[in-house]
Amino acid sequence: MSASATRGAVRPDLEAVFRQEYARVVGVAARVLGSRDQAEDVAQEVFLSFGRSAVPAGEAGGWLSVAAAHTALNLLRSGRRRSAREETVASTADVTTPDVADTVLTLEDRSRVRAALARLPAKQATALVLRHSGLSYAEVATALDLSPGSVGTTVRRAESALRKELNRHASSD
């Protein structure tokens, strides 16, 4: 079959991979974005890309996890979440509950962490997100084409860089 003939075809393994990996893809994106709705939108985009790709089904899990992290991080970096975040903070502030201040502070803390994450180098941010999304060191290594021994170092450096970003921006406020 020629490349043009397969370009419009649906992968025969798409449904099986989707059923197996959907929850993980949404989980990775939700960890970055903090919104299940937006994470599901990212998952849709990622699976559409996978459907057009030539990635072997055996490598789908890692590829999809990395794609979810990259897509979610790009969404953060683009600032498209700003208006949704502002609406969430505004609607939370309107709610009269005893812990409304705690809720607003928690949202602001999460927002600062996500902004700092978006400023990290892509490989570090992705490794951090994948590891904290439950992927093993071996899975992160495979997904990012790293040696298994370097995953821990990459994640620790990412955590350190994230703390520095948070401290740097906290002191400039």
Side-chain angles (χ1 to χ4, degrees), residues 49-113:
S49 294
F50 176 74
R52 293 186 299 263
S53 77
V55 175
E59 297 174 17
W63 188 93
L64 289 164
S65 295
V66 170
H70 281 262
T71 303
L73 286 165
N74 287 340
L75 189 59
L76 269 184
R77 288 181 180 119
S78 74
R80 288 186 284 180
R81 294 193 67 247
R82 183 173 294 125
S83 63
R85 188 170 54 244
E86 289 167 356
E87 288 172 18
T88 301
V89 170
S91 67
T92 304
D94 293 341
V95 176
T96 307
T97 60
D99 63 347
V100 69
D102 290 340
T103 302
V104 170
L105 287 174
T106 300
L107 288 171
E108 288 174 0
D109 289 343
R110 289 178 182 162
S111 175
R112 278 198 307 275
V113 169

Side-chain angles (χ1 to χ4, degrees), residues 122-144:
K123 192 164 228 166
Q124 283 185 354
T126 303
L128 188 62
V129 167
L130 294 178
R131 182 66 184 127
H132 286 276
S133 294
L135 272 70
S136 69
Y137 277 53
E139 290 171 318
V140 173
T142 300
L144 294 178

